[in-house]
């Protein structure tokens, strides 16, 4: 056999191996449907997206979205609690099929996993008591607003606050939260997870979402090469956005609809 023919045969064999590996790699959806169970990682350390409730059950927006995906697939859902540190690692190691845990899509993480649709915003906003009449940034005039010095909220608030708004910087977030919780300021500018903790720690404030400062989308993660699963999830989320189910879940946990998502 001449060298050229041998190379062509070796090349064809390599292609067959590659196709076989690709087919084997993209078996998550088939396995999920066969076993009638999907394993989904959800946040444990980011309320209201995911945290441990008083009944020692994981709760939050991520949990609702994970259960929604399972229901649409027609399979049982096994939830695996993760933190920001290990949420990508559990997917890379195939310990879970899907991650719904406030993932931010960036060039570094895209090298490790694939991303399905965006399902919610991770945002910074102004929060205050339900009785506080704040419906526009103009309404901040004459109001005192606590913010952590140098934070994203601080930068964005100073761009949007009108003349007459009293923005009060605090060196650390816990001091800003304390000032708001004890009534020394009218409003507070923080991220959604911090606001969720305020609502739990200071229920007497009747805190709610007022004005959006900045947000970025949270994405659903799947293992590299799992295109069939990724496309099915994309369809589920697209339908949920269209029929309003995603907005209902977001309002329940974030106090606002999902808004514009990619």
């Amino acid at each position: 056999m001449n060298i050229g023919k041998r190379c062509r045969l070796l090349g064809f064999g390599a292609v067959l191996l590659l196709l076989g590996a690709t087919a084997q790699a993209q078996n998550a959806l088939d396995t999920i449907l066969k076993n009638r169970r999907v394993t989904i990682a959800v946040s444990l350390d980011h309320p209201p997206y995911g945290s441990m409730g008083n009944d020692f059950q994981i709760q939050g927006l991520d949990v609702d979205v994970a259960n929604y995906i399972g229901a649409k697939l027609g399979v049982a859902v096994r939830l695996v609690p993760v933190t920001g540190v290990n949420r990508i690692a559990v997917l890379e190691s195939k310990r879970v099929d899907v991650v719904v845990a406030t993932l931010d899509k960036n060039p570094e993480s895209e090298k490790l996993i694939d991303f399905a649709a965006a399902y919610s915003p991770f945002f910074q906003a102004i929060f205050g008591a339900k009785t506080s009449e704040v419906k526009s940034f103009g309404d901040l005039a004459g109001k005192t607003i606590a913010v952590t010095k140098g934070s994203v909220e601080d930068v964005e608030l100073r761009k949007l606050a009108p003349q007459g708004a009293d923005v009060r910087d605090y060196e650390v977030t816990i001091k800003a939260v304390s000032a708001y919780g004890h009534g020394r300021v009218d409003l507070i500018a923080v991220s959604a997870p911090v606001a969720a903790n305020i609502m739990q720690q200071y229920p007497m404030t009747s805190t709610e979402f007022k004005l959006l400062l900045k947000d970025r989308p949270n994405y659903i993660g799947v293992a590299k090469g799992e295109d069939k699963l990724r496309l099915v999830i994309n369809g589920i989320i697209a339908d949920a956005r269209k029929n309003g189910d995603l907005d209902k879940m977001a309002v329940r946990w974030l106090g606002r609809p999902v808004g514009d998502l990619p």
Side-chain angles (χ1 to χ4, degrees):
M1 183 182 295
N2 63 48
I3 293 175
K5 187 175 181 180
R6 180 177 297 178
C7 288
R8 287 194 298 272
L9 287 173
L10 286 173
F12 181 66
V15 170
L16 287 178
L17 287 173
L18 180 61
L19 289 173
T22 302
Q24 185 176 12
Q26 295 195 38
N27 63 1
L29 180 61
D30 296 334
T31 301
I32 289 167
L33 297 178
K34 179 182 177 181
N35 295 338
R36 301 192 63 78
R37 186 178 75 170
V38 60
T39 303
I40 302 180
V42 294
S43 304
L44 184 63
D45 59 349
H46 272 95
Y49 299 95
S51 63
M52 193 69 71
N54 294 330
D55 58 357
F56 300 103
Q57 298 296 313
I58 308 170
Q59 63 179 17
L61 178 58
D62 290 353
V63 176
D64 283 6
V65 171
N67 286 326
Y68 187 89
I69 290 170
K72 293 300 179 180
L73 289 172
V75 300
V77 177
R78 175 175 170 258
L79 297 176
V80 175
V82 294
T83 64
V85 175
N86 69 343
R87 56 190 171 174
I88 288 180
V90 296
L91 188 56
E92 285 188 287
S93 63
K94 301 294 182 75
R95 283 178 280 170
V96 300
D97 304 305
V98 181
V99 172
V100 185
T102 64
L103 282 173
D104 179 21
K105 183 163 67 171
N106 56 62
E108 291 73 24
S109 55
E110 285 184 293
K111 295 175 184 177
L112 305 174
I113 64 173
D114 286 340
F115 288 88
Y119 67 96
S120 73
F122 189 96
F123 63 95
Q124 288 81 28
I126 296 172
F127 295 84
K130 291 180 180 179
T131 54
S132 181
E133 291 291 329
V134 174
K135 297 181 179 179
S136 70
F137 284 97
D139 295 331
L140 297 179
K143 299 285 196 305
T144 52
I145 310 134
V147 68
T148 305
K149 186 176 182 179
S151 64
V152 172
E153 301 86 47
D154 190 13
V155 173
E156 295 301 319
L157 177 58
R158 292 186 184 279
K159 292 178 185 176
L160 299 165
Q163 188 174 4
D166 183 3
V167 179
R168 299 186 181 180
D169 282 328
Y170 293 84
E171 290 296 329
V172 292
T173 301
I174 191 170
K175 290 185 177 180
V177 169
S178 177
Y180 171 75
H182 290 95
R184 295 194 293 273
V185 294
D186 303 313
L187 305 160
I188 187 167
V190 289
S191 66
V194 174
N197 286 330
I198 290 173
M199 293 171 191
Q200 292 179 353
Q201 187 177 357
Y202 299 100
M204 73 292 293
T205 60
S206 300
T207 299
E208 66 176 11
F209 170 85
K210 294 296 184 183
L211 300 170
L212 179 66
L213 291 172
K214 187 175 183 180
D215 65 4
R216 65 152 175 86
N218 291 321
Y219 289 86
I220 296 170
V222 299
K224 273 289 183 187
E226 294 293 352
D227 294 332
K228 290 194 295 184
L229 178 59
R230 178 176 59 83
L231 292 173
V232 167
I233 290 174
N234 284 351
I236 291 171
I237 297 301
D239 288 344
R241 289 179 66 176
K242 186 176 180 179
N243 64 28
D245 287 345
L246 205 57
D247 278 337
K248 291 176 184 176
M249 288 183 274
V251 169
R252 178 187 179 194
W253 293 104
L254 305 180
R256 54 163 287 202
V258 295
D260 293 328
L261 295 176

